Amino acid sequence: MIAAQLLAYYFTELKDDQVKKIDKYLYSMRFSDETVKEVTQRFRRELVKGLGRDTNPTAVLKMLPTFVQSIPDGSEKGDFIALDLGGSNFRILRVRVSHEKKQTVQMESQIYDTPEDIIQGNGAKLFDHVAECLGDFMEKHSIKDKKLPVGFTFSFPCQQTKLDEGFLITWTKLFKASGVEGMDVVKLLNKAIKKRGDYEADIMAVVNDTVGTMMTCGFDDQRCEVGIIIGTGTNACYMEELRHIDLVEGDEGRMCVNTEWGAFGDDGRLEDIRTEFDREIDRGSLNPGKQLFEKMVSGMYMGELVRLILVKMAREGLLFEGRITPELLTKGKFETKQISAIEKSKEGLNKAREILTRLGVEPSNDDCIAVQHVCTIVSFRSANLIAATLAGILLRLKENKGVTRLRTTVGIDGSLYKMHPQYARRLHKTVRRLVPDADIRFLLSESGSGKGAAMVTAVAYRLAEHSREITQTLSEFRLTTEQLLEVKKRMRVEMQHGLSKTTQEAATVKMQPSFVYSTPDGSEHGDFLALDLGGTNFRVLLVKIRSGKRRTVEMHNKIYSIPLEVMQGTGEELFDHIVQCISDFLDYMGMKNTRLPLGFTFSFPCRQTSLDTGILVTWTKGFKATDCEGEDVVGLLREAIKRREEFDLDVVAVVNDTVGTMMTCAYEEPTCEIGFIAGTGTNTCYIEEMRNIEMIDGDEGRMCVNMEWGAFGDNGCLDDIRTEYDHAVDDFSLNSGQQRYEKMCSGMYLGEIVRNILIDMTKRGFLFRGQISETLKTRGIFETKFLSQIESDRLALLQVRAILQHLGLDSTCDDSIIVKEVCGAVSRRAAQLCGAGMAAVVDKIRENRGLDHLNITVGVDGTLYKLHPHFSKIMHQTVKKLAPQCNVNFLLSEDGSGKGAALITAVGLRLRQELNSK
């Protein structure tokens, strides 16, 4: 027993001694954590260079765009062919993706030999060989009569400008076929297939094997956004933000970038860690000075690295008692698979003895221990270097996403990673040390990159199909100039109906007289109270207007909310609440004892018979208070003031918010004769000739007409451009069948239109992996402010995803792009429809005045117009296009319609005094 223990102790001592000796000898191959971190930093700098337009030509990492912009989402289906050319074997697969109960993949494949004379011969012959093998495969599977989509895994550096083309930059891995570098390999293969003429193939995608690996793993795990090959060669790809890829137009979404990281260090960046053995390998290679990183880490070179180390150590008498055999001196005699065998924990030393004996060196126990440790150092260095570069990619992903902790999956393939007993464990451990704030799953690609090519093709097929259907769905929102001119024409017809005595009652656009005969002339003076009721908030204002050389308007206001139960309770409760708010404000201002003139901005359809009489036609914007419709709202306000018995006010004018907006802007700009609101609701007013307003006696002068254009289309005249989504929004609204134009273009409804489209697209499998969340089912959840945020040019898709996640929608990058497109289509149509309506108004004013050309200003208010990033611009362009004889300026109302109510009150008082003094 003691003897055995002594022997074991002696052997361990001997082993430790040998290990220390080798560690010392190969010191330059053993890296500290600092060195590995430094390699990561250098690699990250090279990534950025490769992505930049100006720096890419001289960058060693070519960062090739692959035009793969989406990973599988689980809804792919179809029958596909995949070709896999990247080594001495050429594989063809038929991949069938179906959806019975769950997504299943059936694969049949065949391997064809690619002889050396073809690999290193003529390019045309190589592609003839590929076409011949494909023909044979299709014949065997009885699919020659089908034109199936084909994905082509081509594992060599290619320049791409679209998914179905790839210009070979340079051959690697012993391939040398002439006349292919600089050519489009898809074209060459198509030519070879056409020459045969016995079958057709639709090559939809050419992909690198690394991309194929990412897509294969992406099919099983939708978090997979990195692909790595660690085999004969090495490479990596990952999903980069499109906005960072200068070589590709556009900045929406992501695209898979093929790093071609084998060339890392070709500019001398790794000279300080390359050894004499690395230099010797490079000198004896087919491509000296190129792929230097690959030559330090990949399976093609690791065995040779070990052989060179063993030869040098033997020459120096450190191994095999200085014996060197012809076998040991023969290049390629020590293979990487032998490193894997020697590093096995139990039988490794026996394997070392077997392998070394075959090389004729008659190894001792010491020799076997030493060789095992040399293999360990070489393979450990490889794992450390791959970990350093992979950490560079993972840190970049983390930075791109702006997260504190990264969750992602890395798809891996390659014989070295798969076969070496310790490699995967070492790689994972080092990566986790380098990127501590991350949960990284390493997923082995079980079926190689061929299935990945089929997946790329399946995704391309799905996206093309989805894109076509999405475009078709949104085409209903893309109005042509002819359609917009038709809307303008119909608006003119409806305006005429509203102005004519015989048709006014049945008209949808009511063209209500406002009894505002004049815009401000600058002589207005005094203190006025203004009320502004038009939504969930209610404002009370004190407006002090001073005339003279330096005209000033000083305003004090307070905002009060109107609870839902008051909005939808009784009329008495609503007006008592309003008067209570006025009482609070007068207390606040210390003016309860003054009888102030008051202007009441009441932003609902009213029929006015005088400046201080407004009969509510119908509630809109969610209001439903009883006993108000058909009543004079000024009367209801006066009664509520009387009931309170605290103060008295002189109600001079009831004003629509649109008229208030026009008056506010007209105070600053005399050419302002139109008011326009695009906010929660939408409306327009303008100065009309009295002779055209048949509901009012008298032909002299002009009056502002409140169009109430939100009801345009209530008679069905817009039904040809209303979509199923407009119908759905209308059907579920509080006032079904009413305010149809408003429901197509105002802030209260745009988000709801978008939500309905998103539900439909999710049901059809275009969005959110076909999963409709409870949130998305909630009416009103998608507020119009989200449209403004999502469509902002400054907002990256990452932030769009954040908005969607806030709404409980787990969106991918592709989902975010589609949502942005939907929002754009809906808001663009809204702006164009408002533009068509406005074109009708300005042309009517021009014709009223018999002018060839009209210069006019529109006073504008409303959150949609103010806050949406594109609404105003699109509306202006539409007006210009549809009313070319009018020069229309838009002036933003800074102080809202409250100030307008005070100005109307001031103008009303002035006109009242003028009338009394006559």
Side-chain angles (χ1 to χ4, degrees):
M1 183 70 185
I2 290 169
Q5 281 176 329
L6 278 171
L7 194 65
Y9 174 73
Y10 171 73
F11 187 70
T12 308
E13 281 291 296
L14 183 79
K15 194 172 179 181
D16 284 352
D17 198 38
Q18 280 297 90
V19 165
K20 279 176 190 159
K21 234 179 357 190
I22 301 297
D23 280 347
K24 202 170 178 187
Y25 190 80
L26 294 178
Y27 175 77
S28 58
M29 281 190 159
R30 296 174 65 242
F31 299 153
S32 66
D33 268 9
E34 282 61 42
T35 304
V36 178
K37 283 176 183 166
E38 174 57 29
V39 172
T40 298
Q41 289 314 312
R42 290 180 198 178
F43 182 74
R44 288 191 73 185
R45 286 195 288 271
E46 293 304 313
L47 278 184
V48 175
K49 272 191 197 171
L51 289 168
R53 180 177 278 109
D54 301 330
T55 46
N56 175 275
T58 56
V60 287
L61 295 183
K62 282 300 166 201
M63 304 298 283
L64 302 168
T66 64
F67 294 84
V68 171
Q69 292 183 262
S70 179
I71 44 184
D73 72 351
S75 67
E76 293 73 20
K77 57 179 183 285
D79 199 348
F80 307 96
I81 297 276
L83 313 178
D84 192 353
L85 180 67
S88 50
N89 288 331
F90 167 53
R91 207 157 65 113
I92 302 181
L93 303 92
R94 183 183 184 186
V95 182
R96 277 179 281 193
V97 189
S98 62
H99 286 263
E100 300 307 304
K101 283 180 181 161
K102 65 183 184 65
Q103 198 174 38
T104 56
V105 179
Q106 286 174 291
M107 293 202 298
E108 302 158 274
S109 73
Q110 193 169 335
I111 291 173
Y112 294 87
D113 189 37
T114 314
E116 199 171 319
D117 62 321
I118 284 180
I119 285 177
Q120 303 197 351
N122 175 299
K125 276 193 182 148
L126 172 65
F127 286 97
D128 285 346
H129 174 70
V130 172
E132 188 185 328
C133 296
L134 181 56
D136 174 73
F137 183 85
M138 292 175 90
E139 181 86 58
K140 282 179 180 161
H141 289 80
S142 309
I143 48 174
K144 259 192 167 174
D145 56 330
K146 294 183 178 181
K147 190 181 178 183
L148 293 180
V150 177
F152 186 12
T153 301
F154 188 72
S155 312
F156 305 93
C158 280
Q159 194 86 48
Q160 288 184 263
T161 56
K162 48 184 197 269
L163 190 57
D164 60 355
E165 87 177 6
F167 292 89
L168 176 64
I169 296 169
T170 177
W171 283 119
T172 55
K173 294 179 273 194
L174 305 178
F175 273 68
K176 277 285 176 193
S178 62
V180 184
E181 289 182 347
M183 302 296 282
D184 176 8
V185 294
V186 176
K187 236 182 207 153
L188 294 174
L189 180 54
N190 273 329
K191 193 176 169 185
I193 292 169
K194 206 171 182 181
K195 195 161 73 180
R196 290 177 60 84
D198 58 339
Y199 66 86
E200 282 186 279
D202 180 13
I203 302 170
M204 287 189 75
V206 58
V207 293
N208 176 281
D209 55 346
T210 322
V211 180
T213 296
M214 182 188 80
M215 294 299 271
T216 299
C217 295
F219 181 74
D220 299 317
D221 181 343
Q222 283 155 15
R223 285 190 188 277
C224 184
E225 49 194 347
V226 183
I228 297 189
I229 302 272
I230 313 167
T232 315
T234 183
N235 193 13
C237 67
Y238 72 99
M239 296 300 285
E240 176 59 87
E241 299 294 317
L242 206 49
R243 68 182 187 275
H244 295 151
I245 310 171
D246 286 357
L247 301 175
V248 178
E249 288 298 314
D251 54 7
E252 297 290 11
R254 301 195 302 168
M255 183 182 283
C256 179
V257 170
N258 166 18
T259 65
E260 288 297 338
W261 77 8
F264 178 39
D266 286 7
D267 58 352
R269 292 290 151 123
L270 298 179
E271 280 314 294
D272 55 335
I273 60 168
R274 283 175 79 225
T275 64
E276 58 184 295
F277 309 110
D278 297 309
R279 293 188 180 92
E280 194 172 337
I281 281 218
D282 182 42
R283 281 196 296 275
S285 68
L286 280 170
N287 54 351
K290 289 182 177 174
Q291 302 293 105
L292 298 184
F293 179 70
E294 183 167 81
K295 286 168 187 170
M296 294 170 82
V297 298
S298 82
M300 191 168 176
Y301 303 99
M302 266 171 56
E304 187 59 11
L305 265 174
V306 169
R307 187 189 71 79
L308 291 174
I309 293 167
L310 299 187
V311 168
K312 188 172 187 223
M313 289 182 77
R315 281 199 174 123
E316 292 177 17
L318 297 169
L319 280 179
F320 320 132
E321 295 174 346
R323 279 189 303 278
I324 296 173
T325 63
E327 287 87 352
L328 191 58
L329 289 171
T330 306
K331 187 178 175 184
K333 269 290 179 186
F334 202 102
E335 296 174 66
T336 299
K337 66 180 178 188
Q338 291 166 335
I339 296 179
S340 299
I342 289 169
E343 284 195 67
K344 281 185 178 161
S345 49
K346 283 183 181 162
E347 69 264 33
L349 289 173
N350 290 335
K351 287 284 180 193
R353 185 176 297 283
E354 266 176 48
I355 291 159
L356 294 170
T357 304
R358 281 205 299 274
L359 291 172
V361 294
E362 298 171 24
S364 65
N365 278 345
D366 279 13
D367 290 335
C368 292
I369 292 164
V371 169
Q372 188 182 50
H373 197 55
V374 168
C375 291
T376 301
I377 286 174
V378 169
S379 63
F380 217 127
R381 180 183 75 154
S382 168
N384 274 339
L385 284 171
I386 295 277
T389 47
L390 174 56
I393 286 174
L394 295 170
L395 289 166
R396 174 135 189 112
L397 281 176
K398 187 167 177 280
E399 192 178 275
N400 282 349
K401 293 181 179 194
V403 290
T404 48
R405 191 167 187 86
L406 177 71
R407 262 190 87 187
T408 193
T409 297
V410 178
I412 308 194
D413 201 357
S415 50
L416 179 57
Y417 180 86
K418 282 180 176 175
M419 303 302 179
H420 191 287
Q422 321 288 340
Y423 199 97
R425 189 177 54 81
R426 290 170 186 162
L427 175 73
H428 301 172
K429 205 171 170 185
T430 310
V431 168
R432 289 189 174 118
R433 212 164 57 243
L434 293 171
V435 193
D437 297 326
D439 301 310
I440 300 148
R441 182 184 179 206
F442 293 89
L443 184 58
L444 196 58
S445 167
E446 295 299 344
S447 35
S449 51
K451 176 182 168 186
M455 282 303 126
V456 172
T457 308
V459 168
Y461 198 71
R462 165 176 66 81
L463 291 179
E465 197 57 27
H466 284 187
S467 176
R468 192 181 59 73
E469 291 190 43
I470 288 165
T471 302
Q472 201 176 337
T473 300
L474 297 182
S475 66
E476 295 180 72
F477 289 86
R478 298 195 170 100
L479 302 175
T480 63
T481 305
E482 288 65 39
Q483 284 175 306
L484 290 168
L485 282 166
E486 187 56 37
V487 171
K488 174 191 170 185
K489 186 173 139 193
R490 291 174 195 174
M491 179 66 92
R492 281 295 296 271
V493 170
E494 296 305 314
M495 286 167 75
Q496 197 50 54
H497 285 167
L499 289 168
S500 302
K501 211 169 202 169
T502 52
T503 50
Q504 206 272 345
E505 201 172 322
T508 52
V509 179
K510 285 295 182 192
M511 307 295 281
Q512 306 282 9
S514 68
F515 294 86
V516 171
Y517 294 95
S518 165
T519 51
D521 66 0
S523 67
E524 294 74 22
H525 192 94
D527 293 352
F528 306 91
L529 204 60
L531 309 183
D532 191 353
L533 177 69
T536 49
N537 288 331
F538 166 61
R539 276 200 314 159
V540 185
L541 304 92
L542 176 68
V543 184
K544 298 183 174 190
I545 303 173
R546 300 293 175 259
S547 59
K549 279 184 184 169
R550 291 185 62 229
R551 292 189 308 170
T552 59
V553 177
E554 185 190 321
M555 293 201 298
H556 304 271
N557 74 80
K558 211 169 173 188
I559 295 174
Y560 300 88
S561 69
I562 299 186
L564 188 66
E565 61 271 19
V566 174
M567 280 168 70
Q568 299 184 3
T570 66
E572 202 168 284
E573 284 167 349
L574 174 64
F575 281 90
D576 282 349
H577 178 75
I578 289 168
V579 171
Q580 187 191 328
C581 297
I582 297 171
S583 170
D584 174 80
F585 181 77
L586 291 172
D587 278 339
Y588 171 70
M589 295 302 297
M591 297 185 78
K592 257 209 176 138
N593 302 323
T594 319
R595 188 173 187 264
L596 291 169
L598 179 140
F600 185 11
T601 301
F602 187 75
S603 310
F604 301 93
C606 277
R607 190 174 70 254
Q608 284 189 256
T609 52
S610 66
L611 188 60
D612 63 351
T613 314
I615 293 151
L616 175 63
V617 177
T618 177
W619 281 120
T620 56
K621 294 181 268 192
F623 275 74
K624 276 282 171 192
T626 57
D627 306 323
C628 294
E629 290 179 349
E631 298 293 327
D632 172 19
V633 293
V634 173
L636 294 173
L637 178 64
R638 283 175 177 149
E639 281 167 25
I641 293 169
K642 235 181 230 163
R643 276 198 298 276
R644 184 115 189 152
E645 293 181 339
E646 271 186 29
F647 53 84
D648 193 19
L649 297 168
D650 176 14
V651 185
V652 175
V654 61
V655 190
N656 176 279
D657 56 346
T658 323
V659 182
T661 297
M662 180 190 78
M663 294 296 271
T664 301
C665 294
Y667 190 67
E668 308 297 332
E669 172 50 66
T671 63
C672 179
E673 297 183 82
I674 303 173
F676 168 62
I677 302 268
T680 313
T682 183
N683 192 17
T684 293
C685 68
Y686 71 100
I687 301 290
E688 179 57 272
E689 307 300 314
M690 280 291 288
R691 65 178 183 274
N692 295 334
I693 309 169
E694 293 181 13
M695 302 299 290
I696 305 286
D697 293 333
D699 286 349
E700 291 302 312
R702 294 170 179 167
M703 183 189 283
C704 177
V705 168
N706 164 23
M707 290 177 66
E708 290 299 341
W709 79 359
F712 176 40
D714 286 4
N715 59 359
C717 71
L718 294 179
D719 283 0
D720 56 334
I721 61 165
R722 287 174 79 225
T723 66
E724 61 179 285
Y725 311 106
D726 295 308
H727 285 284
V729 169
D730 183 34
D731 290 347
F732 287 102
S733 66
L734 282 168
N735 54 350
S736 182
Q738 295 176 337
Q739 301 293 103
R740 287 180 181 174
Y741 180 64
E742 180 167 84
K743 284 170 188 167
M744 292 167 85
C745 52
S746 83
M748 189 167 180
Y749 302 99
L750 297 190
E752 193 56 11
I753 296 171
V754 168
R755 188 184 71 85
N756 276 278
I757 298 171
L758 299 187
I759 285 178
D760 180 43
M761 286 187 173
T762 308
K763 279 180 185 165
R764 287 156 70 188
F766 305 157
L767 278 174
F768 313 129
R769 303 184 181 92
Q771 305 295 309
I772 300 177
S773 69
E774 284 306 310
T775 322
L776 197 55
K777 290 178 192 169
T778 312
R779 277 213 306 277
I781 194 76
F782 204 100
E783 295 171 53
T784 299
K785 69 174 181 187
F786 294 135
L787 266 80
S788 298
Q789 290 168 6
I790 285 169
E791 286 189 70
S792 167
D793 294 328
R794 294 190 306 278
L795 214 58
L797 282 182
L798 212 61
Q799 291 155 294
V800 175
R801 280 179 77 178
I803 292 167
L804 294 174
Q805 271 156 0
H806 168 69
L807 291 171
L809 303 166
D810 183 19
S811 71
T812 63
C813 219
D814 297 323
D815 292 336
S816 305
I817 292 170
I818 294 167
V819 169
K820 197 165 184 177
E821 195 183 342
V822 170
C823 291
V826 170
S827 62
R828 183 179 184 80
R829 182 190 69 161
Q832 287 179 323
L833 285 172
C834 285
M838 187 57 71
V841 173
V842 294
D843 254 349
K844 172 134 182 39
I845 295 172
R846 183 183 63 78
E847 286 171 24
N848 281 348
R849 298 176 189 181
L851 299 171
D852 289 333
H853 193 87
L854 173 74
N855 280 316
I856 198 160
T857 298
V858 179
V860 192
D861 203 354
T863 47
L864 182 61
Y865 184 93
K866 283 179 175 176
L867 302 180
H868 191 282
H870 309 301
F871 186 94
S872 57
K873 188 180 170 195
I874 294 164
M875 184 183 170
H876 300 171
Q877 286 168 346
T878 308
V879 175
K880 198 171 183 178
K881 198 174 201 175
L882 304 185
Q885 289 168 275
C886 302
N887 180 30
V888 185
N889 292 308
F890 289 82
L891 179 62
L892 214 49
S893 163
E894 293 304 331
D895 304 304
S897 48
K899 176 179 169 184
L903 285 164
I904 291 167
T905 305
V907 171
L909 277 179
R910 191 188 79 214
L911 295 177
R912 191 201 277 173
Q913 283 156 8
E914 283 171 15
L915 206 65
N916 291 341
S917 63
K918 276 181 185 176

